[in-house]
Amino acid sequence: MMQVALVMGSISDWPQVQATANLLTDLHVSFDKHVISAHRMPKELQHFGETAKSEQYQVIIAAAGGAAHLPGMLAANTTLPVIGIPVQSKALNGMDSLLSIVQMPSGVPVATVAIGSAGAKNAALLAAEIIALHDSDVDHQLQSFRENQTKEAIKSNEQLQ
């Protein structure tokens, strides 16, 4: 059973989404990867969204650029939590992606993270926090991550002294 479905609108999104995959691995969160274009694969997108819960996923992370309909359309087809990653695009530097994902109508929520690498990593952390509600191993991994993050910040402060 995979805990997270990591979905991209295009394989070209993978360089940004790889940070999400790496952090999910570090946190012991199982996932698999899919390319499903909201505009070029509408039937596949609908089927994936409708069957994601029966496939035992707990969270969907969806990365999309440009018009960025993927996260919202997945959310429209499932009651699983959907986390949207706005992919940094060339045309408008990712602002188009961000606004397309974050401006969901009432009743179809998508948790939206920042554009770029910080957002990709935060999507993994948010998914892990949701899963950790019922998975003590993932909860332990998150606690360790936070402790290490604090140690690194303290260490960097000491380097300034």
Side-chain angles (χ1 to χ4, degrees), residues 12-89:
S12 65
D13 298 336
W14 176 244
Q16 291 183 50
V17 177
Q18 192 165 9
T20 309
N22 292 343
L23 192 47
L24 288 171
T25 299
D26 291 347
L27 295 170
H28 298 185
V29 174
S30 62
F31 65 94
D32 56 14
K33 304 175 291 257
H34 305 269
V35 172
I36 304 174
S37 169
H39 300 106
R40 294 178 291 275
M41 302 168 66
K43 291 178 184 170
E44 292 83 354
L45 181 148
Q46 184 174 10
H47 175 74
F48 186 87
E50 289 174 345
T51 61
K53 192 177 273 190
S54 65
E55 293 292 327
Q56 304 300 305
Y57 291 113
Q58 296 173 32
V59 178
I60 297 172
I61 298 174
H69 289 114
L70 178 63
M73 289 306 298
L74 285 169
N77 284 286
T78 187
T79 56
L80 289 174
V82 175
I83 302 167
I85 301 173
V87 172
Q88 192 162 4
S89 59

Side-chain angles (χ1 to χ4, degrees), residues 75-107:
N77 284 286
T78 187
T79 56
L80 289 174
V82 175
I83 302 167
I85 301 173
V87 172
Q88 192 162 4
S89 59
K90 292 177 184 164
L92 298 171
N93 210 26
M95 283 301 295
D96 50 343
S97 309
L98 174 65
L99 294 173
S100 293
I101 297 171
V102 79
Q103 286 300 118
M104 289 299 296
S106 175

Side-chain angles (χ1 to χ4, degrees), residues 124-140:
L125 291 166
L126 184 55
E129 289 173 351
I130 293 167
I131 291 164
L133 293 170
H134 302 287
D135 186 321
S136 60
D137 178 48
V138 174
D139 186 52
H140 175 73

